[in-house]
Amino acid sequence: MTFRTNLFAGAVALATSAIMATTSFADTVKVGFIGSLSSDTGLSTLRGAEIAIEELNAAGGVLGGKTIELVSADTGEDPTEGIKAYEYLAESEEVDFIISGSIDDVSLGWLPRMVEYQIPTLDTWTSYIGIIDNLVTDYDNYKPYFMNIASDEALATLYIDFGKDVLVDQMGWKSVVILQEDTAFGGAIHGLVAEALAPVAGIEVVDTIVYDVATVDFAPIFSNAQASGADFIYLISSVNSQVVSSQYVKLQVPMGMTGVNVAALGQEYWEDTGGAGGGISTLSPVPSVGFALDPVSQAFVDTYQAKYTSRPKFPHFNGFNAYHGLKQAFAAAEEAGGFNNTSWVDAMLGQDLVLKKDGEMWLRYAFWKPGEIEERTQRTYPHNARFDITAPYDDGAPSMVVIQWNEDGSAGVVYPDKFKTQDFGIPSWVKK
Amino acid sequence: MISKPLLRSLIIWAIFIIGMLLLPKIFALLGFSKGNLRTLIQACYLAIFAMSWDFISGRTGYISFGHPFLVGIGAYTTAILSYRFDVPVMYSIPIAVIVTMIGGTLFFLPALRIKGSYFALVTLAFMELMYQLVQVIRPDLTGGTRGISGIETLTRGAVNGYYLAVSLMLVIAFVLWAILKTRIGTALSAIAMNEESVKGSGLSTTKLKLFAFMVSACVAGIGGAFLAHYNGSIAPRALFDINFLFTIIVAALIGGSSTIIGPMIGAFFLTLLLEKLRPWLPGAERYFVYGGIALLLYMYQPKGLYAIFWQVVDRFRTRRGGQS
Amino acid sequence: MALLEVKNLSAFYGMAQSLHDVSFDVNEGEIVGIIGANGAGKSTLLDSIMGLTKTTGSILLDNEELTVANTAKIVSFGVGYAPERANLFPYMSVEDNLLVGAYTAREAIEQNLELVNTLFPVLKERRNQETSTQSGGERQMVSVGRALMTNPKVLLIDEPTIGLAPKVCNDIADALRKLNKETGLTILITEQNVNFALTLAEKLHVLETGHIRMSGTAEALAKDPKLNEAYFGH
Amino acid sequence: MFQILIQGLLLSGLYALIAVGFTLIFSVGRVLNLAYGVSLMVGGYTFFYTAQVLEMPKLVGVLLAIVVGAVFGLLKYRLLVKPLKGDHVAIEISTLILAVVIQAGIILVFGDATKILHSIIDGVWQFGTVSITANNVAAALGSWVLILGLYAFIKKTHIGRAMQAVSMDQKGAAISGVEPDKVNAATWVISGALGAAAGVFFASYTQLSPSMWVAPLIIAVAIVIVGGIGSIIGTLIVAHIIGFMEIITTTLFAAELRGVFTMILIIAVLVIRPRGLFGREEL
């Protein structure tokens, strides 16, 4: 009896909510967040957006005094749930703009929905070049999409310079063994390293070891790496990177190791690895761990830390991307008179936020325009974050920086020189 | 001459089909948003997978833990053909279904020799193997870990998508129902009860099992292929995943195993439950509550919602009967 | 004095009733036989005493009601059981099989082991052999031995001779007789082999399709024309 | 060769420990405990919380993990397995649902970030290109101790023999005075404790994450299928076959094919010899 009563009550509640959901108020603008509500990266984007929205609302609202309302939809980092989440935001909540903290395959999952609904969408986390390629090949359908983080392709260029300036000139390393996870990401980065880093920087690739992402025991893999006789290890890891890096530390592998290590991007890395992560260096989007901040970004961090006490205690780079990006999206909307037309895309493309530190250009939030060719890589990056990799970094932000975790738990930027806070080094157990 | 119970079933079917087809209109009248239809579309596909699972596992008692394997073959085949090789959808989907049926035969081989928990485990191994292979072998075709996005879609908009999905589901349900009304259906259920006795009665259990596996694989392949073209994207993590397996099995069981309507009820219940929890529990709590409800329901009534429905009806009937 | 009292016992498998109002007593120190054809309900009767079937009625051991207890409790009250199929643990050694029997009677292990070894010396020789590799007769001995290890007040034995050679049957009969004589253990035995039962038991009950049809001493029944007709006539 | 030998032994020891708790339930209770991986996860997170968050001594962490694992095993038996009264399919399905629920619960409590455990024992030795950590040696030795202890327990104690008895003949066990219910409960408790201990070691090898229950479950399933139900020694041997196969594949062939061979082995064994290499259906 009670079971049925409850069922009935539940049904009524569901029906009411369904009706409520369709009632939207004309004096609000709805922003949807899509991403994982339980990951540090997802929460960084969500909180960056929340702070930006609070500030915009406090400053008198947007688009002639409307308040911004934020609705979030959890993907649980599952591609299918991502599709449902996007549908929910688009059709149940009818949002005007979507900000995303999704990972690669989740973004790829909902992209066909974005094409269908044509809702302006800003991705702050995934850096997959394949998504930008969609804009290259099918601009008309994909044009509401923006990605304000430099894509994979950009990082290789920075890495070639890092290899030449630091690994070869400073460390005197001449040969490398590549440790690559068996994923599409791993394959793509491997191609860049083997075809670009090696020939340009003059580093010989002695061996490439591809490993399965579910690998439990890395001891034999590191043994093989040591047996290859190379001067250092180049690690490419985006999935379960903590495992390979902590085993490198626990096994005290007597070789230097650098590379792309997604786990080491956030401040919680040290806590999560329980300290088994010293010496790990990785490429990181900016603003990275250990990256000196300009006053505007610092103010954002102060607000953030006053407001949130739970993880992540310090926003990841995508939190900054969400904060600045959301403000840019609304600035563009003011210019274009709203979100739902092509003029918003044009206005968004015109956004150019320059953040200065000590009078110097420090960070820049701007987008590549369609057809605009980046000199060094000789390709276009429509709607992707504009990065500058031509020396001497004077007309934009770097695409990425290289950071390194020290054995005392601190971390700093080691490359490029302008942003550098410490020197690149090898862990204490590695003999020079 | 149509018998009376058959006629009654047919009438219930007709009402059910008309009801499902009119749902968008009813929703429009009630002022519900299109988002509800989107949810129902996902529910329809889940119902198809649950019916496919139930056709093997609910009927013959061979519990499949690798159903995502079959769904994934269907989805990947049509996605690769249409996205990579520009094969028109009208060819790529049938090919995908045939390939899935071949996959179903692979599935079938171990079932010739092993039963029960062992069969469940080997199918789980099939799924895991596929998960690893898809990422390793020819990522240029499968898209590796990221999968494929931008697959040609068959329809646009929630209403069209709904009609496609619901028609697909209803046709499959009706065909499965019709198959089970024949002698084959009775024999299949007998396998679950006592395989030896079926052997004794002179029917070929091997042929019967093969038939059940082929039908199940065919349905999974159709569902997987159409879902790939509805979602427009596929990824290994979305298909060869233990959470997906969980959803399929639980949908069939929560609704009511070895019935046709049960898996459909279960799929709609689970999908709506998960989606309607979203406004209140946006984060991980949602999966916790959703899983918890599924577990309690299953523990309380392993025969599913369909059985609960009839219990309630019976109680109501006897009470009424007692009074009159 | 009655050690085991069975009163109005009926047993059910699902909807089917396989025992009907069976009543009899077993006195302390007696050997009582239940004879009947295949399917008469002999195994069901013993299973029912052990709490392995659904029953109505009452079973008292030393005035303790058994029908409310589960099988393990019934064993610990003092009922040992050697079932028809022996139900041994095939991949365990003879000794381990016996030791499992001592699960609820750990204080008496050595004494009971000694008893089993004197009754069935062959088991001592084969103590490390897995029972799956043993002959039928030896398995039957392990089964009886295991039941003895539970330290029973009454021993239930279900058709110990089934499928065994006459020589082995005699060995078992001798062992049981010796057991009864030397330790005074009460035994309830079922048999299809009437001759075997007649030579062993003092009192007999004839079970037919779940009913007790006849009861009496071995001597009396041996002369009874009805029994002769049923089991020895054609 | 030395490298393969030593790394193979270390990994295989861990795998054996992972599998043995799963084998136990499968053999005695005849059910697949799909929430077995969750026991490992529960153990790992308990250790993490006590030793790394509360910074209590590591030994306390390990012991507490084992206790929590045992309690978790008992709860699973009392709340799920027993009410379902031996319906194998229902137990398998409900343990699967439970695993998914607990995964969500772990995300709720700890977040879904991957965590790395401290080495339980510090220290590392270098032999040429081979690094050996004290932690992994301890894990392998610990596995052996636990497995041999379990073996002795099963062969030499009353409750252990009762567990074998229940696995071979339920009726025979009951008429010997063994209560299958209590023995089953004990089996779930022991399996939970073993799983939790394995979880601490497994997590100290790899990582803690809310989805970490899947990998050890697959390892356990692989070992049990290939080894066959019921033989602890068989489990031990197959754990070494699979462990060494992984190390050899990784060292001499291609590291990315590590898992593929294991899956192919499972399918091949099940098709050719469904009982497994050492299986005889009993413990």
Side-chain angles (χ1 to χ4, degrees):
Chain A
M1 196 60 198
T2 39
F3 178 74
R4 258 191 294 165
T5 322
N6 289 344
L7 212 64
F8 179 70
V12 171
L14 291 186
T16 328
S17 76
I19 294 165
M20 295 264 289
T22 58
T23 333
S24 60
F25 302 99
D27 53 350
T28 61
V29 181
K30 264 194 180 179
V31 171
F33 161 80
I34 185 167
S36 160
L37 287 175
S38 37
S39 73
D40 292 337
T41 44
L43 286 172
S44 291
T45 295
L46 175 65
R47 291 169 175 185
E50 278 175 354
I51 292 174
I53 287 169
E54 270 178 25
E55 289 179 8
L56 288 170
N57 282 341
V62 291
L63 299 166
K66 291 183 187 172
T67 31
I68 309 172
E69 191 193 328
L70 181 70
V71 214
S72 48
D74 188 21
T75 59
E77 299 206 335
D78 179 286
T80 312
E81 284 306 310
I83 294 171
K84 292 188 200 162
Y86 204 97
E87 288 170 350
Y88 170 77
L89 292 175
E91 292 195 334
S92 292
E93 295 288 351
E94 297 176 359
V95 298
D96 301 289
F97 171 72
I98 290 177
I99 188 146
S100 152
S102 305
I103 54 177
D104 292 1
D105 54 357
V106 175
S107 280
L108 283 166
W110 52 250
L111 265 174
R113 290 292 177 274
M114 190 225 66
V115 169
E116 185 174 337
Y117 301 122
Q118 293 287 309
I119 297 174
T121 301
L122 177 66
D123 236 332
T124 62
W125 202 86
T126 174
S127 59
Y128 180 38
I129 188 69
I131 298 179
I132 297 301
D133 287 339
N134 280 328
L135 280 109
V136 177
T137 53
D138 189 7
Y139 186 74
D140 282 343
N141 274 323
Y142 283 90
K143 70 176 189 291
Y145 180 86
F146 283 82
M147 182 197 285
N148 71 353
I149 167 177
S151 51
D152 305 342
E153 197 91 359
L155 56 86
T157 51
L158 178 106
Y159 226 78
I160 292 166
D161 296 339
F162 173 67
K164 218 165 28 192
D165 296 351
V166 176
L167 302 179
V168 176
D169 292 352
Q170 191 184 318
M171 305 301 292
W173 289 342
K174 292 278 189 302
S175 58
V176 64
V177 50
I178 300 176
L179 234 62
Q180 179 217 318
E181 71 179 10
D182 193 5
T183 62
F185 176 80
I189 304 293
H190 175 263
L192 296 173
V193 174
E195 284 155 29
L197 171 66
V200 178
I203 296 172
E204 184 201 352
V205 179
V206 183
D207 196 5
T208 298
I209 302 170
V210 183
Y211 68 87
D212 161 23
V213 289
T215 301
V216 171
D217 182 13
F218 281 89
I221 291 172
F222 282 122
S223 289
N224 280 3
Q226 276 174 261
S228 75
D231 290 332
F232 71 105
I233 300 170
Y234 190 96
L235 172 73
I236 306 165
S237 167
S238 66
V239 182
N240 289 346
S241 315
Q242 290 94 331
V243 180
V244 60
S245 21
S246 69
Q247 290 202 15
Y248 169 76
V249 175
K250 285 176 176 173
L251 289 164
Q252 303 211 334
V253 179
M255 290 172 87
M257 183 168 90
T258 182
V260 185
N261 185 323
V262 171
L265 298 184
Q267 287 284 6
E268 270 73 20
Y269 169 72
W270 193 257
E271 186 192 318
D272 287 345
T273 56
I280 296 294
S281 60
T282 177
L283 210 82
S284 172
V286 285
S288 69
V289 163
F291 189 86
L293 292 174
D294 61 88
V296 180
S297 303
Q298 186 59 51
F300 161 67
V301 172
D302 293 342
T303 317
Y304 182 101
Q305 291 187 319
K307 191 169 154 72
Y308 305 104
T309 49
S310 61
R311 287 177 68 124
K313 297 204 169 94
F314 193 94
H316 288 215
F317 60 88
N318 53 312
F320 295 89
N321 293 350
Y323 174 76
H324 295 306
L326 196 116
K327 286 198 166 173
Q328 289 186 310
F330 274 96
E334 296 287 354
E335 224 173 281
F339 281 100
N340 234 345
N341 48 45
T342 44
S343 52
W344 179 83
V345 173
D346 292 335
M348 190 68 174
L349 276 171
Q351 293 297 313
D352 193 349
L353 175 68
V354 173
L355 300 169
K356 291 187 172 179
K357 180 170 178 283
D358 305 327
E360 239 185 306
M361 177 187 282
W362 199 250
L363 283 175
R364 185 175 173 195
Y365 281 90
F367 298 97
W368 293 102
K369 294 181 177 56
E372 201 175 354
I373 290 173
E374 194 279 321
E375 266 177 59
R376 180 90 175 263
T377 53
Q378 281 298 309
R379 60 159 288 166
T380 60
Y381 296 91
H383 295 202
N384 191 193
R386 173 181 282 275
F387 55 92
D388 190 351
I389 47 175
T390 47
Y393 308 100
D394 52 4
D395 90 351
S399 56
M400 311 256 166
V401 293
V402 179
I403 60 157
Q404 184 165 31
W405 284 90
N406 304 311
E407 285 165 65
D408 63 2
S410 65
V413 177
V414 296
Y415 193 83
D417 288 342
K418 179 181 169 185
F419 301 93
K420 177 168 141 175
T421 59
Q422 64 183 59
D423 279 328
F424 177 75
I426 46 173
S428 58
W429 64 82
V430 181
K431 291 191 201 86
K432 294 213 169 146
Chain B
M1 191 62 202
I2 299 172
S3 70
K4 219 174 169 188
L6 188 67
L7 191 69
R8 210 175 66 177
S9 308
L10 285 173
I11 290 170
I12 293 174
W13 270 103
I15 294 170
F16 181 62
I17 289 170
I18 292 167
M20 290 305 281
L21 291 176
L22 284 180
L23 218 52
K25 301 267 183 265
I26 300 169
F27 274 23
L29 280 176
L30 290 173
F32 286 3
S33 72
K34 279 187 211 149
N36 289 295
L37 274 186
R38 290 284 183 185
T39 310
L40 293 183
I41 297 173
Q42 297 286 355
C44 287
Y45 284 105
L46 180 58
I48 292 172
F49 303 140
M51 285 191 285
S52 160
W53 182 85
D54 197 53
F55 202 81
I56 293 185
S57 304
R59 301 285 165 187
T60 66
Y62 279 80
I63 300 297
S64 156
F65 276 167
H67 238 65
F69 166 78
L70 296 175
V71 176
I73 292 179
Y76 263 95
T77 308
T78 186
I80 290 171
L81 287 177
S82 72
Y83 186 78
R84 304 275 181 212
F85 300 105
D86 294 318
V87 175
V89 174
M90 60 177 294
Y91 300 115
S92 76
I93 292 181
I95 295 173
V97 174
I98 290 166
V99 173
T100 314
M101 287 169 76
I102 296 170
T105 324
L106 263 179
F107 226 53
F108 172 71
L109 287 176
L112 285 176
R113 300 195 47 163
I114 54 181
K115 293 183 192 181
S117 305
Y118 283 95
F119 179 73
L121 288 181
V122 82
T123 53
L124 189 67
F126 265 111
M127 184 182 85
E128 272 301 306
L129 181 66
M130 199 65 186
Y131 181 56
Q132 301 194 358
L133 286 181
V134 159
Q135 300 178 54
V136 177
I137 310 254
R138 297 295 302 272
D140 55 323
L141 286 183
T142 62
T145 41
R146 292 185 175 114
I148 302 172
S149 180
I151 302 162
E152 185 181 342
T153 50
L154 297 173
T155 58
R156 287 231 156 180
V159 177
N160 293 337
Y162 175 76
Y163 280 124
L164 177 65
V166 85
S167 319
L168 212 56
M169 178 187 80
L170 291 172
V171 168
I172 288 171
F174 191 77
V175 171
L176 292 182
W177 177 79
I179 291 176
L180 291 170
K181 281 286 152 217
T182 63
R183 214 166 58 95
I184 296 171
T186 328
L188 281 178
S189 311
I191 288 186
M193 298 288 181
N194 188 345
E195 201 168 327
E196 298 307 314
S197 76
V198 178
K199 271 186 200 152
S201 73
L203 283 161
S204 160
T205 52
T206 308
K207 275 187 194 156
L208 269 173
K209 279 191 274 179
L210 181 62
F211 175 76
F213 280 63
M214 292 301 240
V215 171
S216 175
C218 174
V219 171
I222 294 173
F226 276 92
L227 180 64
H229 287 292
Y230 166 68
N231 279 345
S233 62
I234 52 172
R237 236 157 35 88
L239 287 171
F240 306 112
D241 188 74
I242 215 148
N243 279 312
F244 184 41
L245 165 70
F246 159 82
T247 320
I248 294 174
I249 296 183
V250 172
L253 294 172
I254 289 280
S257 192
S258 32
T259 62
I260 290 293
I261 191 104
M264 287 193 275
I265 296 175
F268 277 76
F269 174 78
L270 282 184
T271 313
L272 286 170
L273 174 68
L274 187 61
E275 205 51 34
K276 291 302 167 190
L277 286 173
R278 198 188 279 282
W280 290 289
L281 305 170
E285 311 88 352
R286 196 158 61 103
Y287 301 96
F288 188 69
V289 170
Y290 158 81
I293 291 176
L295 185 58
L296 286 177
L297 253 177
Y298 184 63
M299 295 290 296
Y300 165 75
Q301 178 49 280
K303 288 205 168 75
L305 291 169
Y306 191 57
I308 293 177
F309 171 77
W310 283 114
Q311 279 169 9
V312 171
V313 169
D314 282 350
R315 205 179 299 169
F316 187 64
R317 268 189 192 159
T318 48
R319 193 177 302 162
R320 281 271 298 267
Q323 278 165 357
S324 63
Chain C
M1 186 213 141
L3 178 65
L4 182 72
E5 294 170 70
V6 175
K7 289 180 197 159
N8 302 98
L9 185 71
S10 295
F12 305 86
Y13 280 118
M15 297 302 264
Q17 187 171 357
S18 44
L19 287 182
H20 302 266
D21 270 335
V22 171
S23 302
F24 64 91
D25 289 352
V26 182
N27 292 332
E28 195 156 359
E30 271 182 341
I31 300 183
V32 172
I34 306 281
I35 51 177
N38 223 349
K42 302 187 299 293
S43 298
T44 310
L45 173 62
L46 298 193
D47 276 2
S48 302
I49 296 173
M50 294 311 294
L52 292 162
T53 57
K54 237 170 80 181
T55 53
T56 60
S58 164
I59 303 164
L60 296 175
L61 177 78
D62 256 350
N63 292 320
E64 184 112 40
E65 180 61 56
L66 296 185
T67 50
V68 293
N70 66 23
T71 305
K73 265 265 141 40
I74 291 170
V75 172
S76 69
F77 285 157
V79 188
Y81 185 26
E84 180 188 340
R85 287 164 193 273
N87 291 88
L88 296 180
F89 313 120
Y91 303 105
M92 287 166 84
S93 67
V94 168
E95 190 169 8
D96 282 349
N97 267 274
L98 296 177
L99 286 174
V100 173
Y103 191 73
T104 54
R106 295 178 203 179
E107 66 294 333
I109 288 182
E110 278 171 30
Q111 161 203 336
N112 286 335
L113 208 53
E114 186 59 40
L115 173 68
V116 174
N117 285 339
T118 42
L119 280 180
F120 307 111
V122 65
L123 294 188
K124 193 175 183 182
E125 287 163 37
R126 306 262 160 100
R127 65 175 182 276
N128 291 323
Q129 194 179 345
E130 283 190 358
T131 55
S132 62
T133 63
Q134 283 187 303
S135 70
E138 283 166 6
R139 277 215 282 261
Q140 208 51 256
M141 293 175 198
V142 177
S143 175
V144 172
R146 186 181 62 188
L148 289 173
M149 292 299 289
T150 66
N151 212 18
K153 294 175 188 163
V154 56
L155 179 64
L156 315 186
I157 307 178
D158 196 9
E159 302 209 40
T161 61
I162 200 156
L164 297 185
K167 159 91 177 63
V168 187
C169 292
N170 287 337
D171 286 353
I172 290 178
D174 289 344
L176 293 178
R177 232 175 264 125
K178 190 174 163 197
L179 179 69
N180 175 254
K181 202 173 288 169
E182 288 179 8
T183 65
L185 186 68
T186 314
I187 298 174
L188 175 63
I189 187 166
T190 66
E191 260 309 330
Q192 208 172 332
N193 181 342
V194 177
N195 276 334
F196 182 85
L198 288 173
T199 57
L200 196 61
E202 298 145 33
K203 261 190 236 162
L204 288 168
H205 302 278
V206 178
L207 200 61
E208 237 179 72
T209 60
H211 300 267
I212 289 194
R213 297 290 186 206
M214 261 185 276
S215 300
T217 61
E219 286 162 26
L221 277 177
K223 293 175 194 148
D224 193 303
K226 272 190 281 178
L227 186 76
N228 278 317
E229 192 186 322
Y231 288 93
F232 303 108
H234 299 276
Chain D
M1 230 43 241
F2 168 70
Q3 182 200 332
I4 289 175
L5 188 68
I6 191 81
Q7 290 170 346
L9 279 175
L10 295 182
L11 185 67
S12 306
L14 178 70
Y15 279 8
L17 181 59
I18 289 174
V20 78
F22 185 74
T23 313
L24 205 59
I25 301 260
F26 201 9
S27 302
V28 177
R30 284 308 152 78
V31 288
L32 285 178
N33 171 18
L34 294 181
Y36 179 68
V38 175
S39 295
L40 276 89
M41 180 157 75
V42 165
Y45 273 93
T46 307
F47 177 78
F48 171 77
Y49 188 73
T50 40
Q52 223 148 305
V53 178
L54 301 180
E55 294 181 347
M56 282 153 76
K58 286 172 187 167
L59 189 65
V60 176
V62 175
L63 293 177
L64 208 65
I66 291 175
V67 170
V68 171
V71 171
F72 177 66
L74 184 65
L75 288 178
K76 268 192 292 191
Y77 178 71
R78 286 273 175 249
L79 302 180
L80 280 185
V81 179
K82 210 179 157 195
L84 292 172
K85 295 185 195 98
D87 179 344
H88 291 199
V89 173
I91 291 168
E92 281 154 22
I93 306 281
S94 56
T95 50
L96 175 69
I97 306 179
L98 180 72
V100 174
V101 172
I102 291 183
Q103 176 177 356
I106 292 278
I107 293 176
L108 270 178
V109 178
F110 292 95
D112 76 351
T114 296
K115 292 169 174 37
I116 298 294
L117 286 187
H118 288 296
S119 296
I120 300 167
I121 296 166
D122 291 319
V124 56
W125 301 289
Q126 299 279 347
F127 300 95
T129 60
V130 184
S131 302
I132 301 167
T133 64
N135 184 70
N136 294 4
V137 173
L141 287 178
S143 302
W144 277 93
V145 168
L146 284 172
I147 291 166
L148 293 176
L150 178 73
Y151 188 72
F153 175 79
I154 290 208
K155 292 288 172 194
K156 297 292 169 210
T157 66
H158 282 286
I159 179 93
R161 276 190 295 262
M163 283 162 72
Q164 294 182 67
V166 169
S167 87
M168 291 180 204
D169 197 310
Q170 293 252 5
K171 182 175 171 186
I175 60 168
S176 304
V178 175
E179 280 187 54
D181 176 48
K182 286 200 177 130
V183 168
N184 276 323
T187 312
W188 282 81
V189 167
I190 294 169
S191 163
L194 285 172
V200 176
F201 287 129
F202 181 72
S204 78
Y205 247 81
T206 61
Q207 60 176 343
L208 280 178
S209 78
S211 56
M212 68 175 276
W213 61 277
V214 181
L217 179 66
I218 301 283
I219 292 169
V221 162
I223 292 172
V224 170
I225 288 183
V226 176
I229 293 188
S231 164
I232 288 183
I233 301 298
T235 302
L236 203 57
I237 295 170
V238 174
H240 283 74
I241 293 177
I242 289 181
F244 271 93
M245 201 170 71
E246 281 195 13
I247 297 286
I248 290 169
T249 309
T250 309
T251 310
L252 302 180
F253 303 105
E256 74 263 39
L257 296 179
R258 188 192 60 85
V260 173
F261 277 120
T262 312
M263 292 304 139
I264 291 173
L265 182 70
I266 292 183
I267 292 168
V269 166
L270 273 180
V271 172
I272 296 162
R273 193 182 153 87
R275 285 188 296 133
L277 299 180
F278 304 96
R280 59 178 190 197
E281 297 269 309
E282 274 85 13
L283 191 71

